[in-house]
Amino acid sequence: MTAAEMERMALEYFTLVARADRDGLLELMAPDLRWVVPRGAVEPFAGVHEGAAHIIDMMLGSVGAAFTPGSQKTVPATWTPGEDRIVLEARIEAEASDGRRYENEYAFFFEFRNGRIAEIREYVDTRTAAAFFGSA
């Protein structure tokens, strides 16, 4: 895959998550997708998760429960492409139904296989995330 194709797919991932588009995410991801989240993250998200359908349900469930629909926005900062991966630093912003604002810094490592996302390693300020999601 080219760097441009990987960048397009990574940006599409964020768009699909923000729209809660389960079917679109299933098309974008390998069925055996792995999602690696820091151990310090809020349960049940911490750790290694496997299987695209399961991971998508976890992601969309957390976003749907915490954020006002349509309020989530990912602001990319830095892209670093590799042979079959791309690293992205970004800020995610959103609003909860109670008016609280969520803003947190992330680094995502996307690995690709056969034109699909095969692994996402997500690094986040777990303290900020826990303070927000722990009270959501």
Side-chain angles (χ1 to χ4, degrees):
M1 293 182 72
T2 68
E5 289 170 325
M6 291 186 291
E7 180 178 338
R8 180 195 58 77
M9 288 182 70
L11 289 174
E12 184 177 358
Y13 161 79
F14 294 116
T15 299
L16 293 170
V17 169
R19 286 196 330 230
D21 185 341
R22 187 177 193 280
D23 291 337
L25 286 165
L26 283 169
E27 289 180 27
L28 194 66
M29 299 173 170
D32 61 344
L33 175 74
R34 285 174 36 101
W35 182 33
V36 181
V37 180
R39 290 187 310 247
V42 175
E43 292 297 331
F45 303 101
V48 178
H49 308 280
E50 297 187 6
H54 168 70
I55 291 166
I56 291 165
D57 290 342
M58 287 181 71
M59 290 176 174
L60 297 184
S62 69
V63 168
F67 299 149
T68 300
S71 72
Q72 183 177 346
K73 180 172 116 177
T74 301
V75 181
T78 304
W79 295 93
T80 306
E83 184 176 323
D84 62 353
R85 68 186 51 87
I86 193 165
V87 178
L88 162 69
E89 289 180 293
R91 184 177 69 253
I92 295 180
E93 304 170 351
E95 185 175 309
S97 59
D98 64 6
R100 289 179 302 128
R101 293 284 307 155
Y102 179 73
E103 291 186 22
N104 205 348
E105 304 297 323
Y106 286 77
F108 292 91
F109 289 69
F110 290 93
E111 291 194 14
F112 299 87
R113 183 178 67 247
N114 299 324
R116 297 175 103 177
I117 298 172
E119 182 166 307
I120 302 169
R121 291 190 307 279
E122 179 178 316
Y123 298 93
V124 60
D125 177 345
T126 55
R127 182 174 291 188
T128 298
F132 182 88
F133 290 104
S135 61

